């Protein structure tokens, strides 16, 4: 589904044609994927056009999630924060593949987590991406965005038949390593504050100044090697 929305193409020949992919999906029992591949716009990102019943939706983008052969319609999900689902005729849909400049959503990776940002219109998304590319804005991570990202990640892993337990273990180990590094850094910083001896704390600058006086060296001059 992800590849289809980004404009994945089929090529003639064994293993690369539409028919071969449909056959492979059917053999694996992925009938919903086979149904999408068999239809012209299944899984594709589209723009709504010539819709007279709801003209306010014209120009908005959506994803054709399912083809309904009985009514010859597509069940689509609007690319808005509400994620409204409606049925549309093929004549009301025009393919509009995702591009880096017209992606429909924005993915942010922050603090070890992937955050997905959705928008109410493609224009809002394109303006946001353009502003980010000009360093005029910084994405804001919200609890709502985190929840949407976790849900999207779970759906993608389920579709690929993968388990996220290893990813969670890896994330936990990385967090532990970072914690150890932070603790080690604090210890090193503490050593720079002064020299401990006999229960008294000696200022490092004073100790160096005293050393230079004893060795008759100028500040910054390298002492002789003994």
């Amino acid at each position: 589904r992800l590849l289809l929305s980004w404009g994945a193409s089929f090529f003639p020949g064994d293993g690369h044609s539409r028919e071969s992919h449909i056959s492979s999906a059917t053999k694996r029992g992925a009938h919903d994927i086979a149904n999408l591949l068999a239809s012209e716009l299944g899984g594709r990102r589209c723009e709504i056009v010539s819709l007279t019943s709801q003209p306010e939706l014209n120009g908005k983008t959506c994803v054709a999630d399912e083809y309904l052969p009985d009514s010859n319609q597509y069940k689509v999900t609007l690319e808005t924060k509400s994620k409204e689902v409606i049925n549309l005729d093929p004549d009301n849909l025009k393919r509009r593949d995702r591009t880096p400049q017209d992606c429909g959503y924005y993915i942010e990776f922050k603090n070890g987590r992937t955050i997905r940002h959705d928008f109410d219109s493609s224009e809002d998304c394109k303006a946001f991406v353009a502003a980010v590319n000009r360093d005029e804005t910084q994405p804001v991570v919200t609890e709502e965005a985190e929840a949407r990202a976790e849900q999207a990640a779970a759906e993608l892993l389920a579709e690929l038949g993968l388990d996220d337990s290893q990813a969670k273990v890896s994330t936990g180990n990385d967090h532990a390593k970072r914690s150890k590094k932070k603790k080690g850094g604090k210890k090193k910083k503490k050593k720079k504050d002064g020299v401990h001896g006999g229960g008294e704390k000696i200022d490092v600058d004073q100790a160096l100044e005293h050393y230079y006086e004893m060795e008759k060296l100028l500040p910054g001059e390298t002492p002789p090697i003994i």
Side-chain angles (χ1 to χ4, degrees):
R1 292 175 185 268
L2 181 65
L3 295 176
L4 289 171
S5 69
W6 280 89
S9 300
F10 300 100
F11 301 93
D14 295 338
H16 301 288
S17 66
R18 182 190 297 269
E19 291 73 18
S20 63
H21 284 290
I22 294 174
S23 176
S24 178
T26 303
K27 290 179 181 178
R28 295 199 309 268
H31 299 291
D32 55 338
I33 298 297
N35 180 38
L36 281 179
L37 295 176
S39 59
E40 183 65 27
L41 297 176
R44 300 295 186 179
R45 180 182 187 241
C46 299
E47 179 181 340
I48 300 175
V49 296
S50 305
L51 186 62
T52 57
S53 59
Q54 294 177 277
E56 69 277 7
L57 296 182
N58 289 325
K60 291 189 176 297
T61 53
C62 62
V63 176
D65 296 317
E66 182 181 356
Y67 175 65
L68 307 173
D70 294 338
S71 60
N72 188 31
Q73 289 184 316
Y74 287 93
K75 180 184 290 186
V76 305
T77 300
L78 298 181
E79 283 192 328
T80 60
K81 292 181 180 180
S82 63
K83 299 295 182 184
E84 183 181 356
V85 178
I86 58 176
N87 295 341
L88 293 175
D89 295 332
D91 292 339
N92 298 127
L93 296 172
K94 181 176 70 174
R95 183 169 160 179
R96 181 172 163 179
D97 296 335
R98 300 189 193 279
T99 66
Q101 292 74 32
D102 182 23
C103 48
Y105 61 89
Y106 183 85
I107 298 295
E108 176 187 8
F109 186 77
K110 186 174 183 180
N111 298 329
R113 307 188 70 177
T114 302
I115 310 301
R116 172 170 172 151
H117 298 268
D118 293 298
F119 306 87
D120 283 325
S121 69
S122 297
E123 289 70 23
D124 291 345
C125 179
K126 288 191 287 187
F128 181 87
V129 172
V132 170
N133 291 336
R134 294 193 301 266
D135 294 328
E136 293 181 0
T137 183
Q138 291 295 330
V140 179
V141 178
T142 64
E143 293 183 0
E144 181 183 358
E146 289 184 356
R148 288 198 303 267
E150 290 179 355
Q151 179 65 25
E155 292 176 356
L156 179 59
L157 288 173
E159 183 175 329
L160 296 176
L162 300 177
D163 184 6
D164 63 344
S165 59
Q166 293 182 349
K168 292 180 179 179
V169 172
S170 177
T171 302
N173 290 339
D174 293 341
H175 179 72
K177 290 179 181 178
R178 288 195 297 268
S179 299
K180 289 181 180 180
K181 289 182 179 180
K182 288 181 180 179
K183 292 180 180 180
K186 290 181 179 179
K187 290 181 180 179
K188 292 180 180 179
K189 185 177 180 181
K190 187 175 181 180
K191 290 181 180 179
K192 292 180 181 179
D193 291 338
V195 180
H196 292 270
E200 297 182 358
K201 184 176 180 180
I202 305 174
D203 184 77
V204 174
D205 293 334
Q206 292 180 356
L208 288 174
E209 184 178 351
H210 178 70
Y211 173 78
Y212 284 126
E213 290 180 357
M214 294 293 295
E215 297 294 333
K216 300 185 181 300
L217 296 173
L218 294 174
E221 186 177 353
T222 304
I225 300 175
I226 302 177

